Amino acid sequence: MAEYIERDSISEVLDGLVERIEDSLKHSTQFGSGCDYAIRYISNKVEDIPAANVRPERHSHWHEYESCVFMGRYGKDGEPIFQDRKTFMCVKCGRNTIIKETFCPSCGAKMDGTNQKGDIK
């Protein structure tokens, strides 16, 4: 599985490294110009790293309820036929479905039972 890291995180690590190197250079000048070049080179390379197109993972759960559904046909007496069945609603986006899946077909949330901000009540 691919791993994604944020460019800002790398920059923070490099900034900390630069501070440590600069502190050590105050006490010794023999590595000065080489370290400066290496730091600038690495910093430029970090800026060249393309941003990953990664969507944040969504989590939600199904809200289960009973509903009366028109079956699309009529009885002999001409009355519409309804049937009670379980319906599931994604708490994140509000999509209704009769199939309880591990991911919401509408918003893509992983149905692992966790609640996060932005849930529909």
Side-chain angles (χ1 to χ4, degrees):
M1 176 182 249
E3 294 183 7
Y4 302 96
I5 55 177
E6 294 183 15
R7 194 179 303 154
D8 292 340
S9 299
I10 295 172
S11 293
E12 287 176 19
V13 171
L14 288 176
D15 289 343
L17 180 62
V18 168
E19 289 175 16
R20 291 180 70 184
I21 290 173
E22 286 175 347
D23 286 343
S24 67
L25 289 176
K26 290 177 186 175
H27 305 291
S28 172
T29 58
Q30 72 189 90
F31 299 112
S33 62
C35 286
D36 288 342
Y37 173 77
I39 291 167
R40 276 187 267 116
Y41 177 80
I42 292 170
S43 296
N44 289 335
K45 288 298 180 186
V46 168
E47 292 301 318
D48 292 342
I49 296 172
N53 187 9
V54 179
R55 186 183 71 161
E57 189 174 55
R58 297 178 180 194
H59 297 272
S60 187
H61 64 276
W62 293 116
H63 171 73
E64 182 178 322
Y65 62 94
E66 290 288 327
S67 63
C68 188
V69 179
F70 173 58
M71 299 306 294
R73 60 182 192 268
Y74 296 89
K76 293 179 182 176
D77 57 358
E79 293 293 317
I81 298 174
F82 291 91
Q83 181 179 7
D84 290 335
R85 69 167 43 161
K86 288 183 182 180
T87 302
F88 306 97
M89 181 185 78
C90 172
V91 177
K92 184 62 112 182
C93 71
R95 161 114 184 214
N96 291 310
T97 182
I98 59 171
I99 302 169
K100 189 176 183 180
E101 299 180 88
T102 56
F103 291 90
C104 175
S106 179
C107 69
K110 184 176 182 180
M111 296 302 182
D112 57 2
T114 59
N115 235 350
Q116 293 183 345
K117 289 182 181 178
D119 291 348
I120 295 174
K121 300 209 176 349

